[in-house]
Amino acid sequence: MKMKNLLKAAIRSLTKNKMRTFLTMLGIIIGVASVIAMLAIGQGSRESIQSQISTLGTNVLMIFPQASSSGGVRMEAGTSQKMTLDDARALIERCPSVAYLTPQVRTSGQLVASNLNWRSSVYGVYPDYFSIRNLKIETGNPFTMNDDKSAAKVCVVGQTIVTNLFGEGADAVGRVIRINKIPFKITGVIEKKGQNAFGQDQDDMVIAPFSTVQKRMLAITYIQSMLASATTEDKIPAATAEITEVLKERHRLGPSEDADFTIRTQSDIANAATATSKILTILLASIASISLLVGGIGIMNIMLVSVTERTREIGIRMSVGARGRDVLLQFLIEALLISLLGGLIGIGLGMLVSQVIANLMSWPVTITIQSILMSFIFSSAIGIFFGWYPARKAARLNPIDALRYE
Amino acid sequence: MHRKWADRRVPAAGEDTDMDKTIIAVKSLVKTYTMGDVEVHALRGVNADILPGEFVAIMGKSGSGKSTFMNILGCLDVPTRGSYLLDGADVSSLSKDQLATLRNRKIGFVFQSFNLLSRTSALENVELPLMYNHKISSREMRDRSLKALEQVGLASRSSHMPNQLSGGEQQRVAIARSLVNDPVVILADEPTGNLDTRTSLEIMDIFQKLNEKGITIVIVTHEADIAGFTKRNITFRDGRIMRSVMVGNQRNAREELAQLPVNVEDEV
Ligand SMILES: Nc1ncnc2c1ncn2[C@@H]1O[C@H](COP(=O)(O)OP(=O)(O)O)[C@@H](O)[C@H]1O
Ligand SMILES: [Mg+2]
């Protein structure tokens, strides 16, 4: 039978039972739409994570002391006291591929300004921190190395802190806040950064000179971590190697011995985050695929019913010369039409749903050509796969048995 | 009035009787249905030759094997044993697909229950056999189908659906479908079985006209008067041919139709 006639016959028999055809199609429509929407959400979140992480600066390195294992018991990372300010100074002097480096200590504190108070993180760092993290001062100035030398009680704060202690848009520069009862003078306010990839508010932080936090607030002699930037992104491996060499030497570790610190780069973190969201995408898409599978089973079910119902028609067609393959093709094309049309509608619906999700929930969504192509191919494959068995069943009928069927 | 077939071989339609001209030649045809432990011997060794231009009625009581025989002749079913030559070609060894092609090119089959595709116009029903023939263009398909509908007097109803046609008209569409592929033989299993007298006459009139044009026709009927419109009657009994006789004075359906009083109830 010619393709044109086959298509005509298939369309006719599908339109004979419009409601049934639509309901069968609905399974595929919902399946494809959910796959498209899930992939869009997954892809969208992955892209936004990537873009946010790259705004942090792609050439940033973090150096943590390795969780010390004392007597076989691993301690929590950061509890090690092996990293000192001298380590930081040595690194600053001896690593040509490192542009900036700052020691870092962190604590949390109760912030009080007149009658308002707020709890936040307090970071103790060198002024180079602003260059490394690419933080811009909106009003006022950052503190200086002199402030660090004198352990001055000054700080730079984020917008969230200004809002909560002084009110939205208030001018906080020059005002004094008490952090754990110690008065700090605000020298500058950081430009708003919003949430980071992990949902943390990046404007909810106090940045103070390193020695101020280390000595006055924490009263410790070691440093918790270091933050550095390589001169360029290409120099990250070189910077990593230099830092490793210097730190191992200072900690009297041979080149073959395990380091007692970890260096993490921004791209490590980005990769980890991307991998997580990839897994999430795959998970979402697999769940959605199950509904596509159920849709396919729906097609098979209806096609089986249809073959039984139309046994006589098959008999008539065979009696005038239809061969097994003609009948097979006819039913296969019907199944394929259902799944293809369902797939197309599903793609449209999926794009619509993604857009609605993007607007209502303000989630980032990205629809890729690949996901559309994949859904399209997948749904036609489902049509052929689940249409095959009923079609073959029809094709194998004997003409006389089919004609006799009541 | 009836002469024994064995007595005198009458050359059908005045042609010679060479064996290779025989349209249908069956020898020792056996068909046994097995239903569990029970064997039903529907055909117990049937021998028959049908020549070009013949118009044969197959008669016999219900269950005597007429339909079984016709289905095998129509390549809708295969015999358990025996040989069957259709238009000189051995059919007994063909595959399912080859049988389908044979049905498509050489056979026209008419059923008692019409067997038209529902919600499909008369024209498209007639076109159906040609759709399974790749060599035929859409245009030729249409032309030939319209011509076939014309031959059964239904050219004006080509766009009607089967449920808009009377039983007699549906059967005429089925006959048009059976002749559209220019078959070597038209096989009809009780074509008038579901029809009243007048409509039966109309159907027989069409068959007679087609036979006059030289088309070979075999019909099954258990009604003696219907058989009277054919040229030869073969009678089945218990899966065997009991007798085969030439019809002495063939009745003429057109004339009898003209004598019938006009009756509006005829159209179902
Ligand atoms: N598909 C079948 N399965 C089993 N027995 C059958 C089948 N078809 C026909 N028969 C039997 O074969 C015999 C001949 O049937 P059939 O050819 O239909 O007779 P007729 O058409 O002369 O009435 C009957 O006894 C019938 O019951
Ligand atoms: Mg019968």
Side-chain angles (χ1 to χ4, degrees):
Chain A
M1 205 157 159
K2 293 200 184 84
M3 206 56 204
K4 192 186 80 185
N5 296 327
L6 270 172
L7 269 177
K8 242 167 86 181
I11 289 168
R12 169 170 319 176
S13 85
L14 290 180
T15 48
K16 252 187 212 174
N17 254 318
K18 287 196 192 69
M19 193 61 183
R20 181 200 281 188
T21 304
F22 173 71
L23 288 176
T24 313
M25 222 179 257
L26 203 56
I28 296 292
I29 293 175
I30 292 171
V32 169
S34 47
V35 168
I36 293 269
M38 292 303 138
L39 286 176
I41 290 169
Q43 182 67 23
S45 74
R46 180 149 24 132
E47 275 175 17
S48 87
I49 285 171
Q50 266 164 346
S51 77
Q52 288 195 31
I53 283 172
S54 67
T55 63
L56 291 178
T58 46
N59 52 350
V60 173
L61 299 126
M62 281 167 254
I63 306 140
F64 302 99
Q66 185 78 273
S68 59
S69 53
S70 49
V73 181
R74 276 196 157 249
M75 309 289 277
E76 193 189 336
T79 54
S80 167
Q81 306 188 358
K82 278 180 213 149
M83 215 177 257
T84 63
L85 196 54
D86 287 337
D87 287 336
R89 290 198 181 112
L91 290 174
I92 292 169
E93 261 167 44
R94 292 176 52 194
C95 297
S97 301
V98 172
Y100 301 105
L101 186 139
T102 172
Q104 188 169 273
V105 282
R106 179 180 174 266
T107 183
S108 61
Q110 196 69 25
L111 279 48
V112 182
S114 60
N115 59 340
L116 294 170
N117 70 88
W118 183 250
R119 195 164 184 86
S120 186
S121 294
V122 182
Y123 292 85
V125 289
Y126 283 174
D128 281 348
Y129 181 80
F130 298 103
S131 310
I132 297 169
R133 292 260 346 245
N134 208 9
L135 295 176
K136 293 192 177 58
I137 305 293
E138 193 172 77
T139 51
N141 292 296
F143 50 82
T144 61
M145 273 313 276
N146 279 334
D147 293 327
D148 183 73
K149 278 199 191 89
S150 59
K153 290 177 269 184
V154 292
C155 68
V156 169
V157 295
Q159 301 272 358
T160 304
I161 302 208
V162 174
T163 306
N164 283 289
L165 291 182
F166 305 107
E168 179 116 40
D171 182 15
V173 176
R175 300 180 69 162
V176 175
I177 53 173
R178 287 174 177 275
I179 306 175
N180 294 350
K181 299 198 174 88
I182 306 165
F184 278 77
K185 192 174 151 201
I186 298 174
T187 63
V189 177
I190 314 165
E191 217 173 56
K192 197 169 175 64
K193 279 205 109 173
Q195 290 188 351
N196 74 2
F198 309 100
Q200 290 165 334
D201 181 1
Q202 299 183 88
D203 301 313
D204 189 6
M205 57 146 106
V206 176
I207 302 165
F210 170 76
S211 46
T212 313
V213 178
Q214 190 200 29
K215 289 177 185 140
R216 292 186 191 275
M217 295 185 75
L218 288 167
I220 53 173
T221 53
Y222 57 92
I223 63 179
Q224 290 169 342
S225 65
M226 292 185 272
L227 200 65
S229 63
T231 46
T232 63
E233 207 179 324
D234 304 339
K235 289 283 192 211
I236 286 178
T240 308
E242 289 162 14
I243 292 167
T244 306
E245 197 193 315
V246 172
L247 275 186
K248 274 194 167 179
E249 187 196 302
R250 287 188 50 83
H251 293 187
R252 298 180 209 295
L253 296 166
S256 59
E257 277 180 274
D258 283 347
D260 58 356
F261 54 89
T262 327
I263 304 172
R264 275 213 240 134
T265 63
Q266 232 10 294
S267 67
D268 289 340
I269 293 168
N271 288 345
T274 317
T276 311
S277 82
K278 213 177 207 162
I279 290 169
L280 191 78
T281 309
I282 291 170
L283 198 76
L284 288 174
S286 335
I287 293 169
S289 312
I290 291 172
S291 63
L292 200 51
L293 197 73
V294 173
I297 294 169
I299 290 188
M300 178 138 123
N301 182 28
I302 286 302
M303 291 313 289
L304 279 173
V305 171
S306 172
V307 166
T308 311
E309 269 183 5
R310 289 157 64 194
T311 303
R312 213 173 163 80
E313 176 195 328
I314 296 165
I316 293 170
R317 288 181 182 275
M318 285 179 159
S319 76
V320 299
R323 293 160 303 175
R325 77 183 84 136
D326 294 315
V327 174
L328 182 101
L329 219 53
Q330 186 188 340
F331 280 89
L332 213 51
I333 283 176
E334 281 180 28
L336 197 60
L337 272 183
I338 291 182
S339 63
L340 270 189
L341 205 58
L344 281 178
I345 298 174
I347 287 169
L349 188 68
M351 288 165 76
L352 198 77
V353 166
S354 310
Q355 218 46 59
V356 168
I357 287 174
N359 292 342
L360 283 187
M361 320 256 237
S362 59
W363 281 356
V365 300
T366 310
I367 295 164
T368 60
I369 293 289
Q370 288 102 301
S371 75
I372 290 177
L373 272 178
M374 206 188 77
S375 310
F376 194 71
I377 292 168
F378 201 47
S379 59
S380 8
I382 282 212
I384 292 176
F385 184 80
F386 289 102
W388 184 265
Y389 174 71
R392 203 193 51 168
K393 201 179 152 195
R396 285 196 171 174
L397 285 171
N398 268 326
I400 195 66
D401 296 334
L403 279 169
R404 274 206 205 102
Y405 187 84
E406 294 301 326
Chain B
M1 191 165 127
H2 288 143
R3 279 168 294 193
K4 281 253 183 203
W5 169 247
D7 291 346
R8 205 181 129 205
R9 277 183 157 267
V10 176
E15 313 252 326
D16 60 343
T17 53
D18 280 1
M19 276 306 284
D20 56 358
K21 283 266 185 179
T22 311
I23 300 250
I24 286 169
V26 295
K27 264 210 183 69
S28 322
L29 211 62
V30 171
K31 179 75 183 181
T32 310
Y33 294 108
T34 325
M35 307 179 74
D37 309 337
V38 188
E39 287 200 334
V40 181
H41 300 280
L43 296 178
R44 302 165 184 262
V46 173
N47 300 297
D49 287 336
I50 290 164
L51 304 176
E54 274 207 282
F55 189 3
V56 179
I58 293 178
M59 304 185 62
K61 277 189 278 186
S62 178
S64 55
K66 306 183 295 289
S67 292
T68 305
F69 183 60
M70 284 296 263
N71 291 337
I72 292 171
L73 292 190
C75 297
L76 293 169
D77 208 351
V78 286
T80 310
R81 269 197 309 282
S83 81
Y84 170 24
L85 299 184
L86 173 68
D87 203 20
D90 189 357
V91 169
S92 28
S93 59
L94 296 184
S95 70
K96 272 182 93 171
D97 277 4
Q98 289 170 314
L99 286 177
T101 306
L102 208 61
R103 290 196 293 275
N104 188 242
R105 309 292 152 85
K106 298 211 165 177
I107 292 165
F109 212 104
V110 179
F111 303 90
Q112 179 174 356
S113 50
F114 322 136
N115 274 344
L116 298 178
L117 292 185
S118 61
R119 282 183 256 195
T120 303
S121 73
L123 182 67
E124 284 171 304
N125 262 294
V126 177
E127 282 178 336
L128 199 62
L130 304 181
M131 288 215 185
Y132 293 105
N133 186 344
H134 283 273
K135 291 185 206 123
I136 293 173
S137 68
S138 308
R139 206 200 146 77
E140 191 185 351
M141 199 167 357
R142 214 185 135 75
D143 292 348
R144 279 171 69 169
S145 306
L146 278 172
K147 225 182 107 208
L149 276 174
E150 225 164 80
Q151 288 192 66
V152 299
L154 279 181
S156 60
R157 319 290 298 264
S158 64
S159 59
H160 286 219
M161 300 291 153
N163 60 355
Q164 298 170 322
L165 297 171
S166 71
E169 285 165 339
Q170 288 187 50
Q171 194 61 300
R172 275 145 71 185
V173 173
I175 293 172
R177 181 179 65 190
S178 78
L179 62 90
V180 75
N181 59 343
D182 253 331
V184 295
V185 61
I186 290 179
L187 305 167
D189 192 352
E190 307 215 28
T192 60
N194 284 5
L195 304 173
D196 58 56
T197 319
R198 186 190 178 86
T199 321
S200 297
L201 279 181
E202 284 169 2
I203 296 298
M204 290 319 290
D205 178 36
I206 289 168
F207 279 132
Q208 284 192 325
K209 277 185 195 141
L210 293 174
N211 182 242
E212 273 162 30
K213 288 179 189 154
I215 299 176
T216 312
I217 299 171
V218 182
I219 68 166
V220 168
T221 181
H222 54 257
E223 292 167 78
D225 23 330
I226 294 295
F229 292 105
T230 66
K231 293 176 178 167
R232 171 153 74 107
N233 294 355
I234 294 175
T235 308
F236 270 68
R237 189 161 152 188
D238 289 340
R240 287 195 183 88
I241 292 182
M242 194 178 72
R243 85 176 159 252
S244 165
V245 293
M246 301 306 293
V247 176
N249 53 18
Q250 192 185 2
R251 294 167 64 185
N252 186 315
R254 195 174 343 163
E255 283 169 13
E256 294 191 19
L257 212 48
Q259 284 162 17
L260 227 56
V262 181
N263 190 344
V264 278
E265 286 165 6
D266 284 348
E267 302 256 313
V268 181

